Amino acid sequence: MTMVCLTDFEEYAKEHLSKATWDYYAAGADECCTRDDNLLAYKRIRLRPRILRDVSVSDTRTTVQGTEISFPVGIAPTAFHCLAWHEGEVATARATEAINTCYITSTYSTCSVEEIVAAAPNGYRWFQLYVYRDRKLSEQIVHRVEALGYKALVLTVDVPYTGKRRDDIRNQFKLPPHLKVKNFDGVFQQETSVSEEYGIPPNTLDPSISWKDVYWLQSITRLPIIIKGILTKEDAELAVEHGVQGIIVSNHGGRQLDGGPASIDALSEIVDTVQGRIEVYLDGGIRTGSDVLKSLALGAKCVFIGRPAVWGLAYKGEEGVREVLQILNDEFRLSMALSGCRNVAEINRNLIQLSKL
């Protein structure tokens, strides 16, 4: 089977994963309006291509937090990769190392942070973090990833409580017995697994998390802190004021609050507010190279893909993830050239037909 675009991987994954696993990855909150709008919003944006610009040579490289990557697409933090492929996050890490881009490892990994580093020692990695009621848990994992050479912390801020994902409730979704949240192996043993919520005991996440926790995090680590889950200019301004190094504009793949904006629709006001003081990234709804181009034209420094990486895993593990990234890279390069851009520095808002926004 020749995989031509990301939709091909989606169709393969839907056919080959169990229903409960497919539903878990595909789920959005409530009626899935925001999940679906993440994709539809890109289709509403029109490009203004420039011609006769000599695009015989093109360069897709960019930097994030001062580190060069091969193109402006990384892997967003998604949980439980072993559900899609037996090697799980280890395969994802190898693929991103091979392509030379950024992999944000999820707290909810089915491989440990140590296993991931051992599998891809030269990979460029950030670590996605939740703040737990037991701050010691969060602190221990921060120190572990810092010692292992992870280059940034991505603090997810849009989950004081887990969104209502109807299919997971209907399926009574649980991690199969042979899998666990490896980073907390042994930590929760005394808890009964009967009432677990996505691999950990319920009420482990701290709903009292606030801006002061950003200062707390800064006090225990020297790593740059990137806040994931900002959708408004007000919160973007607060993020800058609190001294973080980056923002990921994100609605959690439409899995948290249903009825919020598509990520790409929230991007412009955040970029306009931040005004280059810190880097702004985006996840949610990226399916083609032209989606990547539109995101960069509207001011994102880099975008991250979640579900498509899982589809790649389901297809062929490390090789599948590599193929997904390679297809996006090729499509992005072509979209750039057809729009008259030779490198990422030439991509700007003039490429977007703003009247259509």
Side-chain angles (χ1 to χ4, degrees):
M1 185 175 176
T2 305
M3 302 309 239
V4 175
C5 61
L6 269 54
T7 312
D8 292 344
F9 293 89
E10 180 177 18
E11 286 170 5
Y12 181 95
K14 188 168 188 177
E15 252 173 67
H16 289 80
L17 294 172
S18 74
K19 182 184 185 304
T21 296
W22 169 261
D23 285 350
Y24 166 71
Y25 287 131
D30 300 329
E31 297 174 295
C32 301
C33 298
T34 299
R35 178 198 69 181
D36 296 345
D37 201 34
N38 272 347
L39 278 72
L40 293 170
Y42 279 103
K43 301 188 196 314
R44 295 193 289 262
I45 297 170
R46 295 287 173 265
L47 293 164
R48 302 176 63 245
R50 300 296 308 277
I51 42 87
L52 299 174
R53 298 279 285 261
D54 182 3
V55 288
S56 54
V57 178
S58 64
D59 183 357
T60 61
R61 289 174 302 168
T62 190
T63 61
V64 286
Q65 299 295 319
T67 295
E68 187 179 284
I69 54 176
S70 62
F71 79 126
V73 179
I75 302 285
T78 50
F80 310 149
H81 288 192
C82 284
L83 283 176
W85 182 259
H86 63 279
E87 289 182 302
E89 290 81 6
V90 156
T92 312
R94 287 198 200 109
T96 43
E97 180 185 59
I99 295 279
N100 183 30
T101 191
C102 180
Y103 170 29
I104 309 179
T105 305
S106 169
T107 283
Y108 287 83
S109 293
T110 37
C111 303
S112 70
V113 285
E114 289 80 8
E115 289 166 334
I116 289 164
V117 170
N122 300 312
Y124 179 59
R125 274 176 293 270
W126 299 347
F127 182 76
Q128 175 272 329
L129 179 76
Y130 287 108
V131 172
Y132 297 108
R133 288 175 193 265
D134 178 356
R135 290 289 191 280
K136 274 275 170 280
L137 270 185
S138 299
E139 194 168 339
Q140 282 161 1
I141 193 90
V142 166
H143 292 148
R144 266 167 80 189
V145 299
E146 192 162 5
L148 284 164
Y150 285 74
K151 298 301 184 203
L153 293 175
V154 175
L155 177 64
T156 298
V157 294
D158 55 5
V159 192
Y161 301 96
T162 305
K164 182 178 179 182
R165 302 163 198 169
R166 295 175 183 178
D167 284 340
D168 287 347
I169 298 167
R170 290 187 184 111
N171 296 333
Q172 299 183 297
F173 175 82
K174 276 191 174 51
L175 270 186
H178 68 284
L179 296 180
K180 45 173 93 96
V181 178
K182 263 301 200 42
N183 291 321
F184 298 124
D185 200 3
V187 173
F188 300 122
Q189 271 174 347
Q190 73 287 2
E191 311 275 353
T192 57
S193 61
V194 181
S195 63
E196 66 154 59
E197 187 176 76
Y198 298 113
I200 62 167
N203 305 318
T204 306
L205 294 173
D206 192 349
S208 80
I209 181 172
S210 69
W211 286 105
K212 69 178 189 308
D213 292 294
V214 174
Y215 289 139
W216 168 75
L217 203 51
Q218 288 163 336
S219 76
I220 63 165
T221 183
R222 304 230 296 274
L223 291 175
I225 294 166
I226 291 149
I227 292 196
K228 174 179 178 286
I230 285 182
L231 292 166
T232 62
K233 60 186 178 186
E234 293 87 349
D235 284 335
E237 182 57 45
L238 283 165
V240 174
E241 286 170 12
H242 282 78
V244 305
Q245 279 71 38
I247 287 170
I248 302 180
V249 178
S250 172
N251 53 36
H252 216 101
R255 293 161 77 81
Q256 284 299 105
L257 176 67
D258 199 28
S263 300
I264 190 67
D265 287 342
L267 179 62
S268 291
E269 73 170 62
I270 289 169
V271 167
D272 290 346
T273 296
V274 167
Q275 291 194 319
R277 290 174 290 173
I278 58 176
E279 291 184 349
V280 177
Y281 318 110
L282 170 141
D283 70 26
I286 299 279
R287 298 292 180 269
T288 68
S290 94
D291 295 342
V292 180
L293 182 65
K294 289 169 182 177
S295 304
L296 265 65
L298 288 169
K301 180 80 168 153
C302 177
V303 301
F304 293 89
I305 54 168
R307 292 181 183 94
V310 173
W311 305 335
L313 276 178
Y315 173 60
K316 218 183 269 187
E318 175 190 343
E319 196 184 325
V321 179
R322 237 188 8 242
E323 273 191 60
V324 164
L325 287 167
Q326 195 56 58
I327 285 171
L328 269 181
N329 195 350
D330 294 344
E331 289 183 354
F332 173 59
R333 188 183 294 276
L334 182 58
S335 294
M336 272 175 63
L338 296 179
S339 299
C341 299
R342 287 161 290 210
N343 54 57
V344 295
E346 293 184 349
I347 302 170
N348 61 50
R349 215 174 274 192
N350 293 331
L351 265 186
I352 300 291
Q353 211 171 303
L354 287 168
S355 61
K356 291 275 193 231
L357 274 185

